[in-house]
């Protein structure tokens, strides 16, 4: 694998005047000494192609929550999964944040969900056995001079999701969501280009991608155009970049579930992803090389001055790696018993009458016209107390009703609403995650 990493990176400076991409051959390490940053846009923000201006804000939020809850349900044990299907670990709820990148030579622009809860980079490809409607044109690998399928004997064809084509020539993948949506196709190596915020684009050669020729999508997630996996597994973008970015990436998510403006969120790699300075706290990352999920240890939650301990195998304090941090999940979820305690503690702090959520998505809801003083909520990770932004611990599900943006579901997930306005830095070498309170619109 190491030799592939070395050929992976070079910078392409975009000479806009001539619309020509000039390829400069820096050494990969040198080229990335400064790191790079790309924009992320929330799926429901006004500059997303999936933004539906005739939807009301609450329709948009309710849809995002429904996707999130569908996604949480995918974790429930299901006996309907055919025994031979290649089950996947994708947990994205098709909400979340979109990354604009280009694939192939000449480059074709794509939008995909940037998802720390999965690995593979995949997109729909022609010819389609089945493709769902997408706003951007489909990628046609035959038109790309840099597209190359992978043989079944290749070391790149060793993930549990890989299989071999019937004629024995091509490595294939299959990823499947618990809700019936899936993508199947060829594993390939291809050039992908990320547009960095400094005006230069970053070209990643021989990146492993999944080219999906058979894709089925569900109604609620039909806007997903593919995924750029940022998980810990071997095929993810982060792992493919590992040595050139020193195992570091970070993001700062603008809470665009409230799309007042078009400010984009940021995803950074390498030295741009160092999180430090006033207010920074760090917690150990419980992850083994090539696991998909990034797990943290959550010891307790505080609501106001009341601290609720998670009980771990060794009593209180929470067992190691008991919560997954994920950029692709809207809500934060806890096991049922702990969720109940947490919800009661929040309810105790609010002196207004609860009302029902008419969409039946969330549990603890209030009338917005009551002037609710949302209690301070703090997540106590091992070694890192993170105060959640009070503006995003509740979401407005429908006009005039706000509900606690947490759910009862296992495994526990620390979702993106709770991560709003935090700069979150992943260091896969030091195995830490750092949080720093940040106004992400100002980055
Ligand atoms: C956001 O971007 C969209 C599309 O680019 C544009 O139509 C809209 O006016 C922008 N809204 C704001 C508040 O800037
Ligand atoms: C946009 O939202 C409106 C109102 O909910 C709906 O009628 C319409 O079908 C939606 N358009 C698309 C393209 O989804
Ligand atoms: C994505 O990038 C392409 C090429 O740079 C650009 O034309 C397109 O407008 C971008 N899309 C979004 C939604 O930002
Ligand atoms: C997909 O788009 C085509 C052409 O725009 C349209 O005829 C078709 O009904 C769409 N299919 C779905 C499932 O939305
Ligand atoms: C495709 O997805 C739909 C749900 O949108 C599901 O009902 C259907 O069974 C799926 N098709 C296949 C072939 O799995
Ligand atoms: C991370 O969490 C998942 C889901 O709870 C669990 O299956 C996995 O074993 C955990 N990994 C580590 C290293 O703690
Ligand atoms: C919220 O309270 C206001 C003022 O008392 C009332 O007019 C409104 O109907 C209530 N909304 C809901 C959804 O109960
Ligand atoms: C919440 O915490 C902030 C400081 O982080 C403090 O200024 C504020 O008073 C607290 N609010 C409540 C209701 O305790």
């Amino acid at each position: 694998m190491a030799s592939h990493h070395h050929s992976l990176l070079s910078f392409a400076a975009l000479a806009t005047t001539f619309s020509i991409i000039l390829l400069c051959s820096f050494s990969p390490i040198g080229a990335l000494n400064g790191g790079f940053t790309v924009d992320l846009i929330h799926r429901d923000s006004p500059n997303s192609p999936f933004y539906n201006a005739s939807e009301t804000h609450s329709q948009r939020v309710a849809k995002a929550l429904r996707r999130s809850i569908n996604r949480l349900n995918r974790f429930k044990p299901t006996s309907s999964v055919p025994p031979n299907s290649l089950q996947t670990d994708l947990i994205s709820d098709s909400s979340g944040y979109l990354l604009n990148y280009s694939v192939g030579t000449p480059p074709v622009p794509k939008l995909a969900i940037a998802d720390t809860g999965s690995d593979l980079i995949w997109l729909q490809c022609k010819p389609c056995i089945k493709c769902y409607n997408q706003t951007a044109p489909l990628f046609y690998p035959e038109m790309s001079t840099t597209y190359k399928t992978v043989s079944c004997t290749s070391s790149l064809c060793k993930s549990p999701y890989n299989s071999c084509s019937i004629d024995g020539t091509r490595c294939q993948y299959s990823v499947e969501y618990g809700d019936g949506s899936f993508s199947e196709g060829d594993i390939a190596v291809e050039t992908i280009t990320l547009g960095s915020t400094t005006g230069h684009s970053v070209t990643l050669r021989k990146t492993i991608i999944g080219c999906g020729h058979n894709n089925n999508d569900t109604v609620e997630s039909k806007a997903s155009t593919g995924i750029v996996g940022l998980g810990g597994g071997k095929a993810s973008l982060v792992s493919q970049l590992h040595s050139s970015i020193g195992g570091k990436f970070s993001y700062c998510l603008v809470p665009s579930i409230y799309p007042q403006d078009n400010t984009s969120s940021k995803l950074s790699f390498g030295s741009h992803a160092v999180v430090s300075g006033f207010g920074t706290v760090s917690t150990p990352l419980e992850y083994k090389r090539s696991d998909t999920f990034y797990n943290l240890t959550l010891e307790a939650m505080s609501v106001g001055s009341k601290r609720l301990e998670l009980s771990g195998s060794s009593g209180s304090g929470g067992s190691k790696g008991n919560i997954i941090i994920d950029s692709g999940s809207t809500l934060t979820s806890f096991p049922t018993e702990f969720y109940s305690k947490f919800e009661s503690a929040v309810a105790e702090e609010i002196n207004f009458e609860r009302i029902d959520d008419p969409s039946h998505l969330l549990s603890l809801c209030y009338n917005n016209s009551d002037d609710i003083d949302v209690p301070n909520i703090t997540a106590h990770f091992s070694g890192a107390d993170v105060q959640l932004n009070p503006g995003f611990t509740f979401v407005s599900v429908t006009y005039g009703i706000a509900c606690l943006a947490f759910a009862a579901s296992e495994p526990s997930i620390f979702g993106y609403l709770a991560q709003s306005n935090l700069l979150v830095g992943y260091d896969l070498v030091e195995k830490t995650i750092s949080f720093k309170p940040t106004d992400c619109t100002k980055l």
Side-chain angles (χ1 to χ4, degrees):
M1 283 302 284
S3 60
H4 291 285
H5 284 138
H6 287 290
S7 58
L8 242 135
L9 285 158
S10 68
F11 267 107
L14 194 60
T16 41
T17 13
F18 305 104
S19 297
I20 287 171
I21 291 173
L22 303 170
L23 299 174
C24 313
S25 41
F26 295 118
S27 82
I29 303 300
L32 285 176
N33 262 346
F36 64 98
T37 298
V38 298
D39 283 333
L40 294 177
I41 52 174
H42 194 276
R43 190 191 172 288
D44 296 320
S45 77
N47 51 5
S48 156
F50 307 123
Y51 183 75
N52 179 346
S54 48
E55 270 175 0
T56 63
H57 168 67
S58 52
Q59 282 174 321
R60 220 167 277 134
V61 173
K63 275 193 180 170
L65 294 176
R66 208 170 296 125
R67 283 192 299 267
S68 185
I69 283 161
N70 279 347
R71 204 269 313 142
L72 293 175
N73 288 338
R74 284 177 203 163
F75 280 108
K76 291 190 176 141
T78 158
S79 52
S80 63
V81 176
N84 291 330
S85 89
L86 296 156
Q87 223 2 37
T88 175
D89 47 16
L90 288 169
I91 63 170
S92 156
D93 60 21
S94 306
S95 287
Y97 293 82
L98 299 163
L99 173 69
N100 196 353
Y101 73 106
S102 300
V103 61
T105 313
V108 177
K110 286 283 143 205
L111 273 180
I113 291 165
D115 181 21
T116 59
S118 66
D119 294 326
L120 191 63
I121 302 167
W122 68 265
L123 61 151
Q124 299 199 102
C125 286
K126 285 205 279 194
C128 297
I129 296 169
K130 186 170 192 292
C131 287
Y132 49 83
N133 282 353
Q134 66 176 45
T135 43
L138 287 165
F139 177 59
Y140 195 18
E142 270 189 31
M143 305 296 275
S144 170
T145 57
T146 42
Y147 181 88
K148 214 166 173 304
T149 55
V150 165
S151 79
C152 303
T153 53
S154 162
S155 62
L156 304 179
C157 196
K158 291 231 157 60
S159 113
Y161 322 124
N162 292 154
S163 61
C164 198
S165 59
I166 292 163
D167 64 5
T169 58
R170 284 163 295 126
C171 180
Q172 301 199 301
Y173 76 95
S174 170
V175 290
E176 184 174 331
Y177 299 80
D179 63 357
S181 58
F182 62 77
S183 172
E184 293 174 347
D186 293 331
I187 290 286
V189 289
E190 177 57 296
T191 297
I192 69 172
T193 308
L194 301 172
S196 90
T197 54
T198 55
H200 293 79
S201 49
V202 181
T203 298
L204 316 171
R205 289 177 214 295
K206 296 191 177 150
T207 304
I208 304 162
I209 62 163
C211 211
H213 296 288
N214 186 16
N215 312 282
N216 190 23
D217 210 355
T218 59
V219 176
E220 281 296 318
S221 65
K222 75 166 185 250
S224 67
T225 63
I227 296 229
V228 169
L230 302 174
K234 271 199 289 197
S236 83
L237 177 63
V238 171
S239 300
Q240 294 194 60
L241 289 172
H242 192 273
S243 54
S244 18
I245 59 173
K248 287 188 191 64
F249 72 101
S250 70
Y251 52 70
C252 200
L253 304 176
V254 174
S256 311
I257 200 164
Y258 301 101
Q260 300 96 330
D261 63 44
N262 284 342
T263 317
S264 53
S265 300
K266 298 282 183 278
L267 173 65
S268 298
F269 296 93
S271 59
H272 282 201
V274 175
V275 176
S276 60
F278 181 75
T280 304
V281 291
S282 297
T283 187
L285 183 57
E286 298 299 335
Y287 124 101
K288 298 192 239 19
R289 187 89 203 261
S290 82
D291 277 358
T292 298
F293 298 135
Y294 300 114
N295 296 27
L296 305 180
T297 304
L298 182 65
E299 295 179 341
M301 293 293 295
S302 285
V303 177
S305 57
K306 188 169 184 186
R307 184 176 159 119
L308 308 163
E309 300 290 333
L310 271 103
S311 49
S313 43
S314 54
S316 70
S319 47
K320 268 195 174 164
N322 61 356
I323 190 163
I324 298 167
I325 178 168
D326 184 28
S327 68
S329 300
T330 311
L331 299 170
T332 292
S333 56
F334 298 132
T336 307
E337 196 187 326
F338 186 76
Y339 174 80
S340 301
K341 278 196 237 169
F342 173 70
E343 186 191 285
S344 305
V346 176
E348 264 172 43
E349 294 283 316
I350 299 175
N351 297 322
F352 287 100
E353 205 179 322
R354 305 169 64 143
I355 58 174
D356 281 337
D357 170 7
S359 56
H360 304 296
L361 293 168
L362 295 172
S363 166
L364 183 62
C365 304
Y366 295 94
N367 186 328
N368 253 347
S369 59
D370 295 333
D371 197 11
I372 297 169
D373 214 357
V374 173
N376 281 335
I377 297 178
T378 302
H380 301 282
F381 296 105
S382 179
D385 294 341
V386 179
Q387 191 178 327
L388 307 186
N389 203 303
F392 310 105
T393 50
F394 275 77
V395 284
S396 161
V397 290
T398 179
Y399 186 72
I401 299 178
C403 305
L404 182 64
F406 289 73
S409 176
E410 286 189 75
S412 300
I413 293 172
F414 191 55
Y416 70 74
L417 277 177
Q419 298 175 57
S420 295
N421 279 345
L422 289 172
L423 177 57
V424 184
Y426 293 63
D427 186 329
L428 308 183
V429 174
E430 295 295 323
K431 292 201 175 176
T432 59
I433 288 197
S434 301
F435 297 95
K436 184 183 185 180
T438 302
D439 180 348
C440 298
T441 63
K442 301 256 155 64
L443 279 191

